[in-house]
Amino acid sequence: HRSGHVDWVYHHSQTETVAILTSYSRRIAPYHSFKAGVQGRLIQTEGLDVYAPPETSATVSFWNGSPKSWGIYVQDRMDISGAFTAEAGLRLEILDPDVADAGLHTVLCPRIGFSYCLSESNTLRGNWGRYSQIPVLRNLYTQAYSVPESVEAPPAGNPELSLEKTDSWELGTSHIFSPAVSLEVVVYRKSATGLITTEQQEENGNWVYTNGVSTGNVDGLEMVFRGDPPGFLSLQASYSLCSAR
């Protein structure tokens, strides 16, 4: 099959992950709930690619790596009044590609949110946050395209690839028409930076992965109508509209 500008005759990959999770929570005041924790993933990945670009001899490359990712977070939930609740948090994302001469990649992700009960039937909520995503694992350890001299000399990787970042906000409202009928409407926007793309090197013609300048935006609207009539039947109708660029 074809991926971008690369023709793969054969592709195989395998990934094993060990997940680590620890957390601590405590109500530090009548209206404050504090939580902190650490999340980690120890990854072992490997793969085999056979390329057959047009007018070029088929080449083989084997890649493997042992990246590690960590997330350290704190958050506070504040019940300011019976009708208003706010949340604030901070998360540090760390990626270690485990490659010589490659440093750690870090992203600081603040997040805030609120919920306000306007009346017994109406609720308003909103949130903003920054999120991160590690690059596709094979992109860390192979170039997009190159011609190694032998299987024992696989293409150099791209351990300098940083974490992709997304700033997301949403605003929603819900209305309860009756105990059995409700409607929820949400508008949102997601702005991504550092998306992975390919770039050709002038000195050798190789294609490498980079994520310095690519961006993307998604705007959307979601509506969900729920009905729970008496008996064992429940109804839900959803409408979603989004625009990506």
Side-chain angles (χ1 to χ4, degrees), residues 32-36 73-80 85-91 109-114 126-129:
H32 284 266
S33 298
F34 175 81
K35 186 175 182 180
Y73 68 91
V74 294
Q75 66 183 52
D76 185 20
R77 177 184 175 91
M78 297 159 281
D79 298 317
I80 298 175
T85 301
E87 291 187 2
L90 190 63
R91 184 181 179 95
C109 301
R111 299 170 189 176
I112 56 175
F114 75 92
N127 63 71
W128 174 88

Side-chain angles (χ1 to χ4, degrees), residues 44-86:
Q44 178 65 48
T45 182
E46 64 181 24
L48 175 67
D49 297 325
V50 180
Y51 303 97
E55 302 179 0
T56 304
S57 300
T59 60
V60 179
S61 67
F62 174 79
W63 50 272
N64 62 72
S66 303
K68 304 173 183 65
S69 68
W70 299 94
I72 305 171
Y73 68 91
V74 294
Q75 66 183 52
D76 185 20
R77 177 184 175 91
M78 297 159 281
D79 298 317
I80 298 175
S81 69
F84 188 80
T85 301

Side-chain angles (χ1 to χ4, degrees), residues 19-25 35-40 70-73 91:
I20 300 171
L21 172 63
T22 180
S23 63
Y24 169 81
S25 60
K35 186 175 182 180
V38 177
Q39 297 174 329
W70 299 94
I72 305 171
Y73 68 91
R91 184 181 179 95

Side-chain angles (χ1 to χ4, degrees), residues 84-136:
F84 188 80
T85 301
E87 291 187 2
L90 190 63
R91 184 181 179 95
L92 176 64
E93 298 282 4
I94 305 171
L95 172 63
D96 177 9
D98 194 32
V99 175
D101 300 326
L104 301 178
H105 304 295
T106 61
V107 175
L108 196 59
C109 301
R111 299 170 189 176
I112 56 175
F114 75 92
S115 175
Y116 183 55
C117 185
L118 301 171
S119 65
E120 292 184 356
S121 302
N122 297 280
T123 301
L124 179 68
R125 64 178 178 84
N127 63 71
W128 174 88
R130 176 166 295 165
Y131 302 84
S132 68
Q133 178 178 318
I134 67 174
V136 176

Side-chain angles (χ1 to χ4, degrees), residues 123-157:
T123 301
L124 179 68
R125 64 178 178 84
N127 63 71
W128 174 88
R130 176 166 295 165
Y131 302 84
S132 68
Q133 178 178 318
I134 67 174
V136 176
L137 295 177
R138 72 175 303 276
N139 294 350
L140 286 171
Y141 304 107
T142 64
Q143 293 177 188
Y145 167 66
S146 63
V147 183
E149 296 179 356
S150 67
V151 177
E152 290 74 24

Side-chain angles (χ1 to χ4, degrees), residues 116 118 121-126 170-176 182-187 222-224 226:
Y116 183 55
L118 301 171
S121 302
N122 297 280
T123 301
L124 179 68
R125 64 178 178 84
E170 68 176 40
L171 184 65
T173 183
S174 60
H175 177 72
I176 300 175
S182 64
L183 174 67
E184 182 177 12
V185 180
V186 177
V187 293
E222 294 181 350
M223 302 176 64
V224 180
R226 297 182 178 89

